Amino acid sequence: MLGGYAGKILRADLTREAVKISSLDEKKAEKFIGGKGLGAKILYDSVKPGIDPFSPENRLIFASGPLTASLAPSSARSTVVTKSPLTGIFLDTQFGGSFGVEMKLAGFDCVVIHGKAAQPTCLWIHDSSAEFLDASGLWGKGCFETEGRLKKRLGDGAKVASIGPAGEGLVRYACITFERYRQAGRGGAGAVMGAKNLKAMVVQGAGKIRVANSKGLKEAVKAANERIKNNHFTPLRRRYGTPLWVAPVNSAALLPTRNFSTGVFEGADRISGETMKDKIVKKDGACYNCPIACWKYVCVDSGKYIIDEFVGPEYETIALMGSNCGVDSIEDIAYANLLCDDFGLDTISTGNVIGFAMECYEKGLIGKEDTEGLELKFGNADAEIEMVQRIAFRKGLGNLLAEGVKSAASKIKKGSERFAMHVKGLELPGYDPRGAVGMALAYATSERGACHQRAWTVNAEIRGRLKPRYSVEGRAEFVKNAQDGRAMCFSLVLCDFMPFKTKHFVDLLNTATGFGLTENEYVEAGERIWNLTRLFNIREGMTRRDDTLPPRIMQEPLLDGVAKGQMVTKDMLDAMLDEYYALRGWNKNGIPTQKKLNELGLAA
Ligand code: SF4
């Protein structure tokens, strides 16, 4: 058996309450590694094109990687893969904590769920087996209460993944909450769980994972930890967590503000990482086996919204639920974040759709008759918090917004499509691409829609590593290489904050598994995984015309700050796409050529 893997895949059929356990296909593991890659392969092979993501035929795949539960730093992370109900295309979403570790120690590299349970159900996985538990009494409960009750019943060591009312109500950007504080956030995996009547999945394991070369792995881990220690971002991440980015992103005029109408927020100082640390952070925390420890436990003990203790908010939440909605109170943002985590909502999409609704309200495209009297103006934190609840429970306007910004704009019409900020249906995250041109290409070509985690050019652009500034030059190559690298990082599965060079990843992977990949073969595996997700999307009908940007980005220049006057025109995007497709070995329509598929071992 391969080192680094548990060696088994569990398939759970919710309709028949049956499980099947099979051996991991070692050839597939070597080709697609684990996590995102292996999940993508299983999804591609088992889901017929055109199915409704809410149908029982859709798969919900929890996938760990060969480094999950190993000594490697950040080896806690795992992946959920499914067909997204928000975009109708491929979705993978990573999460931290230690759920994936327990799943692997319980005996499984992947858990593949299909069908639909007759009643609310909890899948309880332990000791190389699984049980279906009645979860009717938990339906309607938030994620926090659900987790508390399941731990009481199954033991404190059990790790819980659950959905809240948003997932139950099929809000298309419902997330899965893991161990209270970690989320598989983007694209609606929580709604797929809801459609399957799966309220929760609980795992606990006591097994051991053998690695191919334990001495070699220890050395690779030592080198990786040294790299983390010497990276200049490590102390900043430890001190402020991801909110460290609020100030520099605002200075570069990229901070989404009032539904991306500008990139400079006058209240940025009040929501920065420094302010958050001073005002509400109480202690730090970390995912299993991570020396960076970027979690920030926050506490608010006065004012309108009290928070006992929880982890958050991250940079993305601050950008979308803060500046993007004109909200400048870090305490209010933290409370909106807490509600999203408990109800099971992705904070990025939620902040984005509320910002959109606020702009519709301010422009008079919707009125008090639509908001049931709510003054849905930018900067109104009470209105934002109320809208979070209405979206989660699909009340009034919340029901429309629960379908996502693309769908909401198509119903509201009146020109609102121009400022519906999404790509392929996935709402834009926290960087305005007009001031960082590479992000425009990253969003346009991301396999799951507008995403900052597939390729992140922001630091390279604002620090002058990618020059000239505001140019298309060099962006295609940077984005392609980053996407392939991240595809591997999310397949191993490690955290994308690890500042490793390719050699570190390769040494960790080879010593754990015994694969013996060269650096070139490692990079090629990332390219293979990226191309497989592209094939999935093409099979669902996506073409070059979907690799695009919201009209606001291509037609309205930025209003303020150092990037004032910048936009990414259609010509600029086309130039980057032509170069990017050529580098990828795809044709002008963005379809991988037969030659490329042969090279990557993906030919049918
Ligand atoms: S850097 Fe932060 S998110 Fe990443 S593994 Fe470490 S603690 Fe978790």
Side-chain angles (χ1 to χ4, degrees), residues 83-385:
K83 182 176 177 182
S84 163
L86 185 61
T87 62
I89 55 175
F90 177 81
L91 172 67
D92 70 298
T93 168
Q94 282 68 40
F95 58 91
S98 50
F99 182 94
V101 173
E102 291 293 326
M103 183 177 91
K104 203 159 158 187
L105 298 181
F108 304 107
D109 296 299
C110 296
V111 173
V112 183
I113 299 167
H114 72 283
K116 178 178 180 176
Q119 68 284 317
T121 294
C122 167
L123 186 61
W124 167 219
I125 297 173
H126 57 103
D127 304 322
S128 303
S129 65
E131 296 172 52
F132 299 86
L133 309 179
D134 181 10
S136 303
L138 297 172
W139 205 251
K141 307 289 181 212
C143 295
F144 300 164
E145 184 176 347
T146 299
E147 175 166 340
R149 289 218 207 170
L150 285 168
K151 274 178 166 284
K152 209 165 171 193
R153 179 172 170 189
L154 301 171
D156 214 33
K159 305 295 175 198
V160 178
S162 66
I163 57 168
E168 295 171 10
L170 310 187
V171 175
R172 287 183 187 267
Y173 43 93
C175 67
I176 304 173
T177 288
F178 294 82
E179 302 164 67
R180 200 174 172 97
Y181 300 133
R182 296 286 99 185
Q183 280 72 35
R186 307 237 60 200
V192 174
M193 249 174 107
K196 295 188 175 308
N197 258 336
L198 184 63
K199 177 69 181 174
M201 181 167 141
V202 186
V203 292
Q204 188 165 24
K208 282 206 166 71
I209 306 295
R210 187 192 65 83
V211 295
N213 173 359
S214 62
K215 186 163 171 271
L217 180 60
K218 275 186 197 144
E219 280 163 18
V221 168
K222 196 171 158 209
N225 280 330
E226 200 60 27
R227 173 93 185 157
I228 292 171
K229 201 171 111 195
N230 294 330
N231 184 267
H232 67 284
F233 275 125
T234 297
L236 285 172
R237 282 196 200 286
R238 224 174 253 151
R239 191 163 172 75
Y240 301 112
T242 54
L244 79 92
W245 285 106
V246 173
V249 169
N250 189 56
S251 298
L254 312 178
L255 190 65
T257 300
R258 292 182 282 279
N259 197 33
F260 290 84
S261 60
T262 177
V264 179
F265 183 45
E266 65 284 357
D269 282 353
R270 294 188 285 281
I271 61 172
S272 67
E274 291 81 351
T275 301
M276 183 168 124
K277 182 157 182 61
D278 282 350
K279 291 182 84 177
I280 61 172
V281 172
K282 294 298 166 215
K283 62 176 180 180
D284 303 334
C287 301
Y288 168 89
N289 210 17
C290 178
I292 295 182
C294 75
W295 297 12
K296 299 290 152 215
Y297 283 85
V298 301
C299 194
V300 177
D301 50 21
S302 63
K304 196 165 176 186
Y305 303 111
I306 303 294
I307 300 174
D308 284 342
E309 181 179 277
F310 99 117
V311 174
E314 302 282 357
Y315 166 81
E316 296 295 330
T317 306
I318 295 174
L320 274 303
M321 307 211 73
S323 52
N324 196 53
C325 294
V327 171
D328 65 357
S329 153
I330 193 68
E331 293 88 347
D332 293 343
I333 295 166
Y335 189 76
N337 187 169
L338 179 143
L339 289 186
C340 285
D341 290 359
D342 194 23
F343 296 151
L345 283 170
D346 173 29
T347 55
I348 297 178
S349 287
T350 305
N352 185 307
V353 295
I354 294 175
F356 164 81
M358 286 174 162
E359 184 164 355
C360 287
Y361 185 84
E362 294 217 346
K363 285 193 154 86
L365 309 187
I366 57 175
K368 282 210 170 127
E369 63 286 3
D370 302 296
T371 65
E372 294 172 55
L374 200 64
E375 192 77 323
L376 197 56
K377 286 192 164 167
F378 287 120
N380 186 346
D382 293 338
E384 175 183 80
I385 286 165

Side-chain angles (χ1 to χ4, degrees), residues 320-527:
L320 274 303
M321 307 211 73
S323 52
N324 196 53
C325 294
V327 171
D328 65 357
S329 153
I330 193 68
E331 293 88 347
D332 293 343
I333 295 166
Y335 189 76
N337 187 169
L338 179 143
L339 289 186
C340 285
D341 290 359
D342 194 23
F343 296 151
L345 283 170
D346 173 29
T347 55
I348 297 178
S349 287
T350 305
N352 185 307
V353 295
I354 294 175
F356 164 81
M358 286 174 162
E359 184 164 355
C360 287
Y361 185 84
E362 294 217 346
K363 285 193 154 86
L365 309 187
I366 57 175
K368 282 210 170 127
E369 63 286 3
D370 302 296
T371 65
E372 294 172 55
L374 200 64
E375 192 77 323
L376 197 56
K377 286 192 164 167
F378 287 120
N380 186 346
D382 293 338
E384 175 183 80
I385 286 165
E386 176 60 28
M387 280 314 302
V388 168
Q389 302 180 62
R390 291 189 192 178
I391 291 169
F393 292 94
R394 283 186 170 272
K395 282 192 193 148
L397 182 66
N399 191 37
L400 181 75
L401 300 181
E403 293 294 300
V405 80
K406 181 181 177 191
S407 169
S410 75
K411 303 260 168 39
I412 293 171
K413 297 195 173 76
K414 304 176 195 165
S416 65
E417 298 91 335
R418 196 176 49 76
F419 55 84
M421 305 305 289
H422 71 92
V423 173
K424 300 184 177 82
L426 188 71
E427 289 78 12
L428 251 65
Y431 310 92
D432 193 313
R434 286 170 290 189
V437 178
M439 290 312 294
L441 184 65
Y443 290 165
T445 57
S446 154
E447 82 291 46
R448 67 176 186 177
C451 175
H452 59 290
Q453 286 185 301
R454 277 47 192 156
W456 191 69
T457 65
V458 173
N459 193 43
E461 298 205 65
I462 64 182
R463 306 253 183 259
R465 259 203 302 133
L466 257 179
K467 334 187 243 211
R469 192 89 170 86
Y470 313 121
S471 153
V472 300
E473 216 170 290
R475 273 54 176 184
E477 190 181 1
F478 188 103
V479 167
K480 180 209 173 277
N481 291 342
Q483 289 171 339
D484 293 346
R486 288 286 171 87
M488 280 303 278
C489 181
F490 295 147
S491 297
L492 292 173
V493 180
L494 294 181
C495 177
D496 49 328
F497 297 156
M498 296 300 117
F500 300 158
K501 291 192 172 298
T502 304
K503 180 175 171 22
H504 295 103
F505 287 116
V506 173
D507 287 348
L508 290 168
L509 176 64
N510 282 341
T511 51
T513 61
F515 284 163
L517 294 185
T518 63
E519 286 191 34
N520 282 346
E521 286 165 338
Y522 175 91
V523 170
E524 187 183 75
E527 195 181 0

